[in-house]
Amino acid sequence: MVQYSVKQVAKLAGVSVRTLHLYDQVELLKPAERTQAGYRLYGEAELLRLQQILFYKEMDIPLQQIGIILDDPYFDLVQALNKHKKALKARRNQIATMLNTIDKTINHLKYKDMLNYEELYDGFSKEEAAAIRKQAIEKWPKEVDHAEKALIKIGKEGFKALKQEQDDINQALISLMNEAPESPSVQFEITRHYQNIRRFWGTQNDGNPQAAAYAGLGELYVADNSYTRVNGEPNATFALFMSKAMKHFAETALVN
Amino acid sequence: MVQYSVKQVAKLAGVSVRTLHLYDQVELLKPAERTQAGYRLYGEAELLRLQQILFYKEMDIPLQQIGIILDDPYFDLVQALNKHKKALKARRNQIATMLNTIDKTINHLKYKDMLNYEELYDGFSKEEAAAIRKQAIEKWPKEVDHAEKALIKIGKEGFKALKQEQDDINQALISLMNEAPESPSVQFEITRHYQNIRRFWGTQNDGNPQAAAYAGLGELYVADNSYTRVNGEPNATFALFMSKAMKHFAETALVN
DNA sequence: GCTATGCTATGACGTAAGGTAAGGGTCAAG
DNA sequence: CTTGACCCTTACCTTACGTCATAGCATAGC
């Protein structure tokens, strides 16, 4: 009968001694016996059980559950695994969403100060050009070319009109800042705001993806309020107001 | 100047009161002031900051980091986000691996006792048929049909030969159980084992994916040792031995 | 027998982001 | 003046260990 000490087991299985102490304490893996001095001694059977524990641990199954799996012969393992699988999938989707948000934010920050496109957007202020370009990049991170061609196609006059209307809408919204973001008057202007934004975003699809994107843009305004300016100055309160109004709009008007 | 109590802020932002207490404690979000009685009072600015906190929290960024992002104007946010993105991607891939393992295990468990295919595998024992079918399903979960057609195509004689060799290899390995799993003699038999298994797995691709799959099969043997039988009885020690030998083989011989 | 070195034991604290009480003030309405 | 809703702080619980701190045991060399 071969016997192994904690350190030997730890090395064989690639875990720490502390882990073995813990597993002993929570009754997940007890040593086969103890020496007079209290040293833990493990046999082959325990090594096997440890392998099984690690097998399930690889799937991120909590230790408690592993104990049940290994000790309760009537446990419905398939059902438990399916449930766990569902949880993992949810987590995976959540991470995918976070990655999207991060990408958007990075693009946002990266191109925020990119103000050197005079030759392309000749005739507009640097700030205007950068704003347009940024919004394009946020929508089509890898298709900036396409976006810029589209903007050029609009032409200077078309773009100026677009910009004029955006300013117009902004002024209207600023004057409504004391109203509730959900109030009809605000939501009316928000509708115009949305329509105008959509021209930059193209018209590929409508409904839910657009709703989420629009609400997300509102959140972005809050995270970086240099976007929402009042009389040329970044204004945090206006940013918050806009994000609330946009969120409300997305959740009501844009629900398909 | 509008003031909000904890409960009001909590409701507005969709967080718990406890969370506000915590953020106060860790200096992430302090109330604008306190009443005589010690009640927390928040203003619009704090509401905005809370929105920003939640914005970053959505990306799973730790609170400590969020504090730095919001308070240190020289913090390189883009770099930090890129780093975080990398971590998230790693986590995503890890979850993908776990989902694969779970799928394999579920299939393994599900079809383990499916022994009613006499008509298809006529002439072989039920156990043999089930074993074949299970391995097929593990490799092609959604292409069992195809797999079974392939097996039929091999024909009874071919299959019997395959089975014979498998038994042969098993006997050889059992007799080598006292050797080290990494020893040349064991690894030689493992090579045969691998070749034979590969016939069930097809020959689509070789190299690393195969290596991981083979090592994974070894782990599966440990998790359910009814696979590795000695004289018809499940044998845990043999399972452990096999998994070690297969892992070693995968890590040395199968490295491209 | 003594000691240096290495292994082992238990106990306890820390981690992240809160949940969940316990025990006790505060405030406005009736 | 009481009631109910709200607020406060303190503190323990969660996961799966890492990291000491302190102290007992084992073995090899002298």
mmCIF file of all heavy atoms in Angstrom, chain B residues 22-46:
data_model
loop_
_atom_site.group_PDB
_atom_site.id
_atom_site.type_symbol
_atom_site.label_atom_id
_atom_site.label_comp_id
_atom_site.label_asym_id
_atom_site.label_seq_id
_atom_site.Cartn_x
_atom_site.Cartn_y
_atom_site.Cartn_z
ATOM 1 N N LEU B 22 -21.466 50.939 0.751
ATOM 2 C CA LEU B 22 -20.141 50.416 0.421
ATOM 3 C C LEU B 22 -19.327 51.445 -0.348
ATOM 4 O O LEU B 22 -18.171 51.718 -0.009
ATOM 5 C CB LEU B 22 -20.279 49.145 -0.407
ATOM 6 C CG LEU B 22 -18.956 48.486 -0.813
ATOM 7 C CD1 LEU B 22 -18.283 47.852 0.382
ATOM 8 C CD2 LEU B 22 -19.177 47.449 -1.896
ATOM 9 N N TYR B 23 -19.916 52.044 -1.364
ATOM 10 C CA TYR B 23 -19.200 53.015 -2.185
ATOM 11 C C TYR B 23 -18.757 54.202 -1.338
ATOM 12 O O TYR B 23 -17.706 54.796 -1.580
ATOM 13 C CB TYR B 23 -20.081 53.485 -3.347
ATOM 14 C CG TYR B 23 -20.322 52.434 -4.403
ATOM 15 C CD1 TYR B 23 -21.102 52.696 -5.529
ATOM 16 C CD2 TYR B 23 -19.751 51.169 -4.294
ATOM 17 C CE1 TYR B 23 -21.321 51.725 -6.489
ATOM 18 C CE2 TYR B 23 -19.972 50.198 -5.243
ATOM 19 C CZ TYR B 23 -20.760 50.478 -6.345
ATOM 20 O OH TYR B 23 -20.974 49.516 -7.294
ATOM 21 N N ASP B 24 -19.571 54.542 -0.369
ATOM 22 C CA ASP B 24 -19.194 55.610 0.549
ATOM 23 C C ASP B 24 -17.964 55.175 1.341
ATOM 24 O O ASP B 24 -16.959 55.878 1.420
ATOM 25 C CB ASP B 24 -20.369 55.910 1.491
ATOM 26 C CG ASP B 24 -20.085 57.113 2.387
ATOM 27 O OD1 ASP B 24 -19.008 57.731 2.238
ATOM 28 O OD2 ASP B 24 -20.935 57.435 3.228
ATOM 29 N N GLN B 25 -18.051 53.976 1.864
ATOM 30 C CA GLN B 25 -16.977 53.471 2.721
ATOM 31 C C GLN B 25 -15.638 53.397 1.990
ATOM 32 O O GLN B 25 -14.609 53.753 2.546
ATOM 33 C CB GLN B 25 -17.384 52.088 3.234
ATOM 34 C CG GLN B 25 -16.513 51.563 4.350
ATOM 35 C CD GLN B 25 -16.849 50.116 4.658
ATOM 36 O OE1 GLN B 25 -18.016 49.708 4.615
ATOM 37 N NE2 GLN B 25 -15.843 49.325 4.936
ATOM 38 N N VAL B 26 -15.662 52.945 0.764
ATOM 39 C CA VAL B 26 -14.407 52.800 0.017
ATOM 40 C C VAL B 26 -14.064 54.084 -0.749
ATOM 41 O O VAL B 26 -13.217 54.062 -1.640
ATOM 42 C CB VAL B 26 -14.456 51.612 -0.956
ATOM 43 C CG1 VAL B 26 -14.710 50.323 -0.196
ATOM 44 C CG2 VAL B 26 -15.518 51.819 -2.022
ATOM 45 N N GLU B 27 -14.736 55.166 -0.425
ATOM 46 C CA GLU B 27 -14.397 56.470 -0.984
ATOM 47 C C GLU B 27 -14.648 56.557 -2.483
ATOM 48 O O GLU B 27 -14.041 57.379 -3.165
ATOM 49 C CB GLU B 27 -12.930 56.798 -0.709
ATOM 50 C CG GLU B 27 -12.522 56.586 0.722
ATOM 51 C CD GLU B 27 -12.383 57.894 1.483
ATOM 52 O OE1 GLU B 27 -11.424 58.610 1.220
ATOM 53 O OE2 GLU B 27 -13.274 58.178 2.316
ATOM 54 N N LEU B 28 -15.491 55.700 -2.985
ATOM 55 C CA LEU B 28 -15.755 55.747 -4.415
ATOM 56 C C LEU B 28 -16.832 56.789 -4.714
ATOM 57 O O LEU B 28 -16.758 57.505 -5.711
ATOM 58 C CB LEU B 28 -16.222 54.361 -4.901
ATOM 59 C CG LEU B 28 -16.428 54.216 -6.396
ATOM 60 C CD1 LEU B 28 -15.161 54.584 -7.158
ATOM 61 C CD2 LEU B 28 -16.840 52.791 -6.740
ATOM 62 N N LEU B 29 -17.816 56.849 -3.856
ATOM 63 C CA LEU B 29 -18.887 57.836 -4.035
ATOM 64 C C LEU B 29 -19.344 58.337 -2.666
ATOM 65 O O LEU B 29 -20.073 57.637 -1.962
ATOM 66 C CB LEU B 29 -20.077 57.212 -4.776
ATOM 67 C CG LEU B 29 -21.272 58.150 -4.984
ATOM 68 C CD1 LEU B 29 -20.929 59.271 -5.930
ATOM 69 C CD2 LEU B 29 -22.479 57.368 -5.496
ATOM 70 N N LYS B 30 -18.890 59.521 -2.344
ATOM 71 C CA LYS B 30 -19.260 60.123 -1.071
ATOM 72 C C LYS B 30 -20.508 60.990 -1.263
ATOM 73 O O LYS B 30 -20.643 61.650 -2.293
ATOM 74 C CB LYS B 30 -18.105 61.025 -0.593
ATOM 75 C CG LYS B 30 -16.879 60.251 -0.164
ATOM 76 C CD LYS B 30 -17.018 59.893 1.281
ATOM 77 C CE LYS B 30 -15.771 59.300 1.879
ATOM 78 N NZ LYS B 30 -16.082 58.605 3.148
ATOM 79 N N PRO B 31 -21.400 61.006 -0.287
ATOM 80 C CA PRO B 31 -22.556 61.910 -0.385
ATOM 81 C C PRO B 31 -22.092 63.364 -0.348
ATOM 82 O O PRO B 31 -21.029 63.662 0.201
ATOM 83 C CB PRO B 31 -23.386 61.552 0.850
ATOM 84 C CG PRO B 31 -22.440 60.902 1.781
ATOM 85 C CD PRO B 31 -21.414 60.212 0.937
ATOM 86 N N ALA B 32 -22.907 64.233 -0.947
ATOM 87 C CA ALA B 32 -22.543 65.649 -0.973
ATOM 88 C C ALA B 32 -22.448 66.182 0.462
ATOM 89 O O ALA B 32 -21.554 66.951 0.799
ATOM 90 C CB ALA B 32 -23.567 66.441 -1.771
ATOM 91 N N GLU B 33 -23.384 65.762 1.279
ATOM 92 C CA GLU B 33 -23.313 66.141 2.693
ATOM 93 C C GLU B 33 -24.122 65.182 3.552
ATOM 94 O O GLU B 33 -24.713 64.245 3.046
ATOM 95 C CB GLU B 33 -23.818 67.575 2.879
ATOM 96 C CG GLU B 33 -25.178 67.821 2.272
ATOM 97 C CD GLU B 33 -25.644 69.261 2.518
ATOM 98 O OE1 GLU B 33 -25.430 69.748 3.640
ATOM 99 O OE2 GLU B 33 -26.240 69.857 1.607
ATOM 100 N N ARG B 34 -24.120 65.486 4.845
ATOM 101 C CA ARG B 34 -24.873 64.665 5.795
ATOM 102 C C ARG B 34 -25.807 65.560 6.581
ATOM 103 O O ARG B 34 -25.471 66.712 6.873
ATOM 104 C CB ARG B 34 -23.903 64.001 6.778
ATOM 105 C CG ARG B 34 -22.928 63.032 6.139
ATOM 106 C CD ARG B 34 -23.440 61.614 6.231
ATOM 107 N NE ARG B 34 -22.380 60.654 5.998
ATOM 108 C CZ ARG B 34 -22.392 59.417 6.466
ATOM 109 N NH1 ARG B 34 -23.408 58.997 7.206
ATOM 110 N NH2 ARG B 34 -21.421 58.583 6.213
ATOM 111 N N THR B 35 -26.950 65.011 6.963
ATOM 112 C CA THR B 35 -27.830 65.777 7.844
ATOM 113 C C THR B 35 -27.277 65.705 9.265
ATOM 114 O O THR B 35 -26.308 64.993 9.530
ATOM 115 C CB THR B 35 -29.252 65.208 7.843
ATOM 116 O OG1 THR B 35 -29.230 63.929 8.485
ATOM 117 C CG2 THR B 35 -29.781 65.052 6.429
ATOM 118 N N GLN B 36 -27.889 66.442 10.153
ATOM 119 C CA GLN B 36 -27.483 66.395 11.557
ATOM 120 C C GLN B 36 -27.512 64.964 12.072
ATOM 121 O O GLN B 36 -26.640 64.543 12.821
ATOM 122 C CB GLN B 36 -28.461 67.244 12.390
ATOM 123 C CG GLN B 36 -28.479 68.717 11.995
ATOM 124 C CD GLN B 36 -27.627 69.546 12.923
ATOM 125 O OE1 GLN B 36 -27.756 69.417 14.130
ATOM 126 N NE2 GLN B 36 -26.742 70.368 12.394
ATOM 127 N N ALA B 37 -28.520 64.266 11.654
ATOM 128 C CA ALA B 37 -28.689 62.892 12.142
ATOM 129 C C ALA B 37 -27.729 61.916 11.476
ATOM 130 O O ALA B 37 -27.701 60.741 11.815
ATOM 131 C CB ALA B 37 -30.127 62.441 11.906
ATOM 132 N N GLY B 38 -26.952 62.394 10.498
ATOM 133 C CA GLY B 38 -26.003 61.513 9.829
ATOM 134 C C GLY B 38 -26.546 60.906 8.547
ATOM 135 O O GLY B 38 -25.882 60.067 7.935
ATOM 136 N N TYR B 39 -27.714 61.321 8.127
ATOM 137 C CA TYR B 39 -28.288 60.806 6.878
ATOM 138 C C TYR B 39 -27.466 61.280 5.688
ATOM 139 O O TYR B 39 -27.069 62.444 5.632
ATOM 140 C CB TYR B 39 -29.736 61.291 6.719
ATOM 141 C CG TYR B 39 -30.726 60.633 7.630
ATOM 142 C CD1 TYR B 39 -30.332 60.030 8.818
ATOM 143 C CD2 TYR B 39 -32.083 60.614 7.296
ATOM 144 C CE1 TYR B 39 -31.265 59.433 9.651
ATOM 145 C CE2 TYR B 39 -33.009 60.016 8.127
ATOM 146 C CZ TYR B 39 -32.598 59.432 9.314
ATOM 147 O OH TYR B 39 -33.510 58.850 10.136
ATOM 148 N N ARG B 40 -27.263 60.399 4.725
ATOM 149 C CA ARG B 40 -26.512 60.771 3.521
ATOM 150 C C ARG B 40 -27.415 61.557 2.564
ATOM 151 O O ARG B 40 -28.560 61.171 2.334
ATOM 152 C CB ARG B 40 -25.999 59.533 2.812
ATOM 153 C CG ARG B 40 -24.902 58.786 3.557
ATOM 154 C CD ARG B 40 -24.604 57.451 2.904
ATOM 155 N NE ARG B 40 -23.537 56.729 3.582
ATOM 156 C CZ ARG B 40 -23.709 56.020 4.694
ATOM 157 N NH1 ARG B 40 -24.892 55.949 5.263
ATOM 158 N NH2 ARG B 40 -22.694 55.382 5.242
ATOM 159 N N LEU B 41 -26.858 62.609 1.993
ATOM 160 C CA LEU B 41 -27.597 63.390 1.001
ATOM 161 C C LEU B 41 -26.749 63.530 -0.266
ATOM 162 O O LEU B 41 -25.597 63.950 -0.191
ATOM 163 C CB LEU B 41 -27.945 64.777 1.562
ATOM 164 C CG LEU B 41 -28.983 64.789 2.688
ATOM 165 C CD1 LEU B 41 -29.231 66.209 3.174
ATOM 166 C CD2 LEU B 41 -30.289 64.144 2.220
ATOM 167 N N TYR B 42 -27.349 63.145 -1.388
ATOM 168 C CA TYR B 42 -26.626 63.198 -2.662
ATOM 169 C C TYR B 42 -27.222 64.277 -3.558
ATOM 170 O O TYR B 42 -28.433 64.521 -3.529
ATOM 171 C CB TYR B 42 -26.713 61.861 -3.378
ATOM 172 C CG TYR B 42 -26.101 60.707 -2.610
ATOM 173 C CD1 TYR B 42 -26.842 60.012 -1.658
ATOM 174 C CD2 TYR B 42 -24.790 60.310 -2.847
ATOM 175 C CE1 TYR B 42 -26.287 58.948 -0.957
ATOM 176 C CE2 TYR B 42 -24.234 59.253 -2.157
ATOM 177 C CZ TYR B 42 -24.987 58.577 -1.208
ATOM 178 O OH TYR B 42 -24.434 57.536 -0.522
ATOM 179 N N GLY B 43 -26.368 64.910 -4.369
ATOM 180 C CA GLY B 43 -26.834 65.910 -5.324
ATOM 181 C C GLY B 43 -26.735 65.379 -6.747
ATOM 182 O O GLY B 43 -26.439 64.201 -6.974
ATOM 183 N N GLU B 44 -26.984 66.233 -7.708
ATOM 184 C CA GLU B 44 -26.937 65.835 -9.119
ATOM 185 C C GLU B 44 -25.547 65.342 -9.509
ATOM 186 O O GLU B 44 -25.396 64.372 -10.245
ATOM 187 C CB GLU B 44 -27.320 67.030 -10.004
ATOM 188 C CG GLU B 44 -28.785 67.426 -9.929
ATOM 189 C CD GLU B 44 -29.687 66.390 -10.587
ATOM 190 O OE1 GLU B 44 -29.192 65.567 -11.377
ATOM 191 O OE2 GLU B 44 -30.892 66.396 -10.292
ATOM 192 N N ALA B 45 -24.530 66.014 -9.011
ATOM 193 C CA ALA B 45 -23.159 65.644 -9.363
ATOM 194 C C ALA B 45 -22.867 64.218 -8.938
ATOM 195 O O ALA B 45 -22.228 63.449 -9.673
ATOM 196 C CB ALA B 45 -22.178 66.603 -8.689
ATOM 197 N N GLU B 46 -23.362 63.847 -7.758
ATOM 198 C CA GLU B 46 -23.124 62.487 -7.267
ATOM 199 C C GLU B 46 -23.896 61.470 -8.120
ATOM 200 O O GLU B 46 -23.417 60.381 -8.396
ATOM 201 C CB GLU B 46 -23.546 62.384 -5.799
ATOM 202 C CG GLU B 46 -22.554 63.015 -4.841
ATOM 203 C CD GLU B 46 -22.574 64.533 -4.938
ATOM 204 O OE1 GLU B 46 -23.654 65.094 -5.179
ATOM 205 O OE2 GLU B 46 -21.499 65.144 -4.797
#
